[in-house]
Amino acid sequence: MDQRDVASGPPIPEELRRLMAEIGPKWGSNVGGHVKLMLDHFTEVLKDAPTDGVSITRDVVYGSHPRQSFDVFQPAGAAGKRPALIFVHGGAFVEGHRNRTLAIYSNVLMYFARHGIVGVNVGYRLADDTPYPGATQDIAAVVAWVKAHATDLGIDEDRIFLMGHSAGCAHVATYAYDARFRPDEGNLLRGLILVSGRVRADVLAENPNAKKVEAYYQTTDAALLDDYSPVSHVDAGSVPTLVAWAEYENPLIDVYSAELVHRLAVAKRRSPPVVWLQGHNHTSIIGHFNTADERLGQAIRRFICEH
């Protein structure tokens, strides 16, 4: 990555901070409504976010389904090989889009590309088109595509990082941890970043998205759901991982993120890097990328630099 000066993004307005503080403690009472509220507000903030120094190639096709395409964000005028960050959005398994709004989720890849990291914003098939493990198979196809085209994109093929948010974490972590989805040539990743991840599959009454989990995994059997859960496949050889979650989360997301940290620490005999983002919620933790709040962005960039 280059060390050029990069302009800061717009500040998060105080009135938005106050709104986040107000709805945070009651986030789980209206997840859908609160998600939409945050998407609307952060889309407005990101209208003033910098986009300088980045070239974008949109709608690169990797499969026959309309959702099987991605956008590539490259540092303009970049020379030499750079790390790549492949990002996979959430949406509770049954909804969502890589361009959820005009600004989200492209803000994530824009931020990292502005800091010298090639970004890939991935679309994938949802539960209504293909149940488990279809989305993970899509992720595997994109990782293989990026590795195969690394030279053309100015990417260091040995420094490919995978990042997910929410249900996207279920798909990327299944690919990264579960040996049943590992390529024949071995793990193609240098690192994994999981943000507010649904890393355990459950259909508990506490989970407001339980029916959506069932729609993707096609079962309510606890033993099967445990086997399908990424946390069940962590071992000493698991890819280096950074785990982040917000102070105010969708019900059980924080519990399962903490479980993953514990399992990784026990398996590797050392805790993975962890970011607990105070004041943020399940949506703002991803919507704030490319604003002036860089706590999580800096932690991820440091993780990438160290690997």
Side-chain angles (χ1 to χ4, degrees):
M1 293 178 291
D2 58 40
Q3 300 300 317
R4 61 185 173 175
D5 292 334
V6 176
S8 178
I12 298 175
E14 284 304 313
E15 57 268 30
L16 178 51
R17 291 279 190 189
R18 288 194 292 269
L19 178 62
M20 291 161 61
E22 176 189 341
I23 68 173
K26 53 188 179 183
W27 181 266
S29 67
N30 182 15
V31 171
H34 291 149
V35 166
K36 185 180 185 306
L37 189 62
M38 290 294 101
L39 289 172
D40 290 345
H41 277 277
F42 275 93
T43 296
E44 186 65 27
V45 171
L46 290 166
K47 286 181 179 178
D48 297 323
T51 59
D52 54 297
V54 178
S55 61
I56 307 173
T57 303
R58 298 198 181 274
D59 301 318
V60 179
V61 174
Y62 70 92
S64 59
H65 191 277
R67 285 186 175 270
Q68 290 176 311
S69 59
F70 55 81
D71 305 324
V72 180
F73 294 68
Q74 290 179 285
K81 294 183 177 181
R82 295 169 177 270
L85 180 67
I86 301 171
F87 176 75
V88 180
H89 67 81
F93 302 100
V94 301
E95 57 191 15
H97 191 278
R98 72 181 190 276
N99 293 306
R100 182 76 179 260
T101 74
L102 291 174
I104 300 170
Y105 300 94
S106 61
N107 64 307
V108 178
L109 295 310
M110 182 65 70
Y111 171 80
F112 287 105
R114 293 179 60 242
H115 287 276
I117 300 166
V118 179
V120 179
N121 190 17
V122 177
Y124 59 91
R125 293 170 295 170
L126 302 178
D128 58 345
D129 290 309
T130 179
Y132 170 89
T136 290
Q137 292 168 338
D138 286 355
I139 306 314
V142 173
V143 174
W145 191 100
V146 170
K147 185 174 180 66
H149 294 82
T151 300
D152 297 336
L153 296 173
I155 291 171
D156 181 347
E157 66 177 22
D158 294 321
R159 299 191 68 208
I160 297 174
F161 294 81
L162 192 53
M163 175 179 174
H165 173 242
S166 194
C169 289
H171 307 316
V172 302
T174 296
Y175 169 79
Y177 296 148
D178 192 333
R180 291 172 292 193
F181 302 97
R182 196 164 296 152
D184 292 339
E185 60 269 41
N187 202 319
L188 303 182
L189 302 176
R190 181 60 65 92
L192 179 68
I193 298 126
L194 301 173
V195 178
S196 298
R198 177 67 63 183
V199 292
R200 174 168 288 287
D202 79 85
V203 291
L204 299 176
E206 297 169 79
N207 179 3
N209 291 325
K211 288 296 183 183
K212 298 175 183 180
V213 172
E214 181 182 349
Y216 179 63
Y217 290 103
Q218 298 284 288
T219 186
T220 59
D221 183 271
L224 278 177
L225 290 171
D226 180 67
D227 180 50
Y228 296 159
S229 297
V231 293
S232 300
H233 298 278
V234 167
D235 58 32
S238 291
V239 64
T241 304
L242 181 150
V243 184
W245 65 94
E247 180 176 5
Y248 305 113
E249 279 292 352
N250 288 7
L252 300 176
I253 291 286
D254 52 347
V255 175
Y256 297 151
S257 295
E259 178 189 2
L260 176 62
V261 170
H262 172 73
R263 289 194 178 215
L264 283 166
V266 170
K268 292 177 172 286
R269 315 312 298 166
R270 183 181 182 183
S271 174
V274 176
V275 179
W276 182 78
L277 209 56
Q278 186 176 18
H280 277 279
N281 55 59
H282 185 74
T283 302
S284 70
I285 197 173
I286 211 75
H288 83 285
F289 278 97
N290 216 25
T291 71
D293 186 345
E294 293 193 65
R295 289 173 291 168
L296 180 54
Q298 289 175 349
I300 294 172
R301 287 162 48 210
R302 183 165 55 249
F303 175 76
I304 291 173
C305 285
E306 291 173 352
H307 294 86

